[in-house]
Structure formats: structure tokens, C-alpha cells
Amino acid sequence: MHYYRYSNAEVSCWYKYLLFSYNIVFWLAGVAFLAAGLWAWSEKGVLSDLTKVTGLHGLDPVVLVLVVGIVMFTLGFAGCVGALRENICLLKFFCGTIVFIFLLELAVAVMAFLFQDWVRDRVKEFFENNIKSYRDDIDLQNIIDSLQRINHCCGAQGPEDWDFNIYFDCKSESKSREKCGVPFSCCIPDPAQKVVNTQCGYDIRKKSKSQWDDHIFVKGCIHALEAWLPRNIYIVAGVFIAISLLQIFGIFLARTLISDIEAVKASNAF
């Protein structure tokens, strides 16, 4: 007896161009992040002197922007070319990386829930390291100021954490005018003032602690964030679910397209 194989396997144009559209957004976002990061570095003169990056002991926010940009650019490029050229290797690279990122996010979320004390200690250590480098990088300085101003907090555990910074340290022999003070973002804003008083935190910690409440925020930013999370748990969960669904959708498109391409190649082999 003779068996005949009638194959109607074909690559779905719908999945192919939907995946291409999905990845073009990734690619354009990656280009935008890279452009913003390189521009910020050029403004700080880092591109002409890379030791400015290695000399910073805290977090340089621009590095984070560049890393995100590189990852998104690479994934977007691999997904776009893989979809258009029906390249299984590029599609598997895209799919595998998205799966890895998704599992990494899931693992971080589970660890943050199960090991809260350990996470709190790491956040405290991270915040203190960045307080030390507060005056070393303008972007880091702006982020810390925004965090303190928005959350009405000061330092990691409290205002005394600013002793970690050489300019604000009460015990150092520094002649800095900011000695024994706090950044202006720790100050309780005066509604009557239209111009920000950047010197409002000067010498504040030379006063007794009972007077601090009238001038600066005394709650640490870690406690402020811990209080913020329960109040906004639905927003945080919604964002996490939305990102997860986008990643799962991308994985589904890539796996479906890979299956179509493999089916076509298998049918052509007969």
C-alpha cells in the first residue's frame, strides 16, 4: 500500500506580523532608552571619562537606563528580524529571554514575600550606600530628593542616616556648610513659600530631636515605603499582572510562530 501525505502547513501571516508589531515597540523603546542614557552621560562628561562611572559607589540611574535600553533593543531586534526572516534561532533567543525575565520577576516577588526581613536589610544597605554618594552624581541626587519629597521621609531609617554622607556628617571634621544638616528634600514644605529654600536643612540636627518634627520629616524612607505598599497594593498588583500578561502574550506569539516554521520545514522535507 502507498500512503500519500497532503500537507497544508504554512506560516501564519497573522502571527508573523503581530509578533513583528509587538517587537517593533520593544525596539523603538530600546532606542529611546539608549538615546536618553547616552545623552545623560554626555551631559555629565562620562563619555569622555569613564572613570566617573567606576568612581561612583552608589547607583548611577543612567546605567540602569542604559541596561534596560540594551536589553529592550536586543530583544526587539531579535524578535523583529526573527519574525520577518522566519529565523528559528532568533525567535528561540527572544522567547527564551522573555521566559527567563518572567521567571526572574516571579522569583523576586516570591522572595520579597517570603524573606521580608532579608529584603528590608538589603534595601537599607542599598539606600545607605546611595546616601554616601548623594553629592557625587546629580541624577542620583535628584532621585533621592524626589523619593524623600514625595514620601515625606528622610534617610533610610531616619534623618540621622545622613551621617553616612561626608558633607552632612555631624561627627566628621569637615568644614562643609551642610554639616549636621539634611538635604532640602527632608524639609517640611512651607505653603507660603513659592521658591524652594535649598538651605532649610542647614544645622537642623544640631537642635534637639524634639524640635525636628517642626522642620523636617523624621520618618525613614524604608518605613514610608512599607506604609505605601499596603495602600497601593492593587496598583502594584495591576502593574505586575499587566507586565506579566504582555510577556506571556509575547511568548505565545513566538512559540506559535516557531511551531508554524518547524511544521513547514518538516512538510517540505517529505
Side-chain angles (χ1 to χ4, degrees):
M1 295 179 65
H2 298 280
Y3 294 92
Y4 296 94
R5 188 171 190 269
Y6 297 95
S7 175
N8 58 353
E10 62 179 10
V11 176
S12 171
C13 290
W14 171 254
Y15 288 120
K16 178 177 179 178
Y17 290 107
L18 191 58
L19 182 61
F20 172 78
S21 301
Y22 178 93
N23 279 282
I24 200 69
V25 175
F26 261 89
W27 185 78
L28 291 174
V31 171
F33 273 101
L34 284 173
L38 292 174
W39 173 80
W41 261 8
S42 67
E43 288 292 306
K44 294 192 289 187
V46 174
L47 294 179
S48 58
D49 184 8
L50 290 176
T51 59
K52 293 183 178 180
V53 177
T54 57
L56 180 65
H57 299 293
L59 169 70
D60 184 351
V62 179
V63 173
L64 183 61
V65 171
L66 286 171
V67 169
V68 172
I70 290 171
V71 171
M72 295 185 72
F73 179 88
T74 304
L75 284 177
F77 179 81
C80 286
V81 176
L84 287 179
R85 301 293 298 174
E86 298 178 8
N87 187 303
I88 291 181
C89 290
L90 288 176
L91 289 174
K92 285 184 176 180
F93 168 76
F94 167 80
C95 185
T97 306
I98 294 292
V99 169
F100 172 76
I101 293 173
F102 176 76
L103 293 177
L104 187 63
E105 292 169 350
L106 196 60
V108 169
V110 171
M111 287 185 63
F113 179 76
L114 296 178
F115 305 100
Q116 295 182 23
D117 292 336
W118 182 85
V119 172
R120 188 181 295 109
D121 291 340
R122 300 290 77 75
V123 171
K124 178 177 177 291
E125 181 181 341
F126 176 76
F127 203 100
E128 289 173 354
N129 287 334
N130 284 290
I131 285 176
K132 294 177 184 177
S133 305
Y134 175 75
R135 289 297 188 203
D136 297 341
D137 184 83
I138 187 63
D139 294 318
L140 175 61
Q141 180 177 308
N142 289 335
I143 285 180
I144 293 177
D145 283 335
S146 298
L147 179 65
Q148 293 188 144
R149 190 167 57 250
I150 292 172
N151 292 284
H152 295 175
C153 59
C154 187
Q157 302 282 6
E160 291 176 319
D161 287 337
W162 282 99
D163 279 336
F164 289 112
N165 187 281
I166 190 173
Y167 296 101
F168 297 94
D169 187 6
C170 282
K171 298 181 288 292
S172 73
E173 297 181 0
S174 169
K175 298 186 182 299
S176 169
R177 182 63 188 85
E178 296 175 310
K179 181 178 179 179
C180 226
V182 292
F184 74 95
S185 53
C186 286
C187 296
I188 298 174
D190 184 354
Q193 288 184 341
K194 295 183 179 180
V195 179
V196 177
N197 179 11
T198 57
Q199 300 180 358
C200 61
Y202 284 10
D203 302 322
I204 190 65
R205 288 190 292 127
K206 290 181 180 179
K207 300 178 181 180
S208 63
K209 290 186 178 181
S210 60
Q211 295 178 289
W212 289 6
D213 288 344
D214 298 328
H215 302 283
I216 62 173
F217 305 119
V218 295
K219 181 169 59 176
C221 289
I222 292 177
H223 299 302
L225 291 173
E226 287 176 343
W228 176 89
L229 187 58
R231 296 196 307 268
N232 299 272
I233 189 65
Y234 293 112
I235 296 175
V236 174
V239 171
F240 180 79
I241 291 172
I243 293 174
S244 299
L245 288 176
L246 283 173
Q247 291 172 330
I248 293 172
F249 182 60
I251 294 168
F252 166 75
L253 290 177
R255 287 306 311 168
T256 303
L257 190 57
I258 289 171
S259 297
D260 284 357
I261 296 170
E262 289 177 340
V264 170
K265 287 186 176 181
S267 65
N268 291 336
F270 287 93

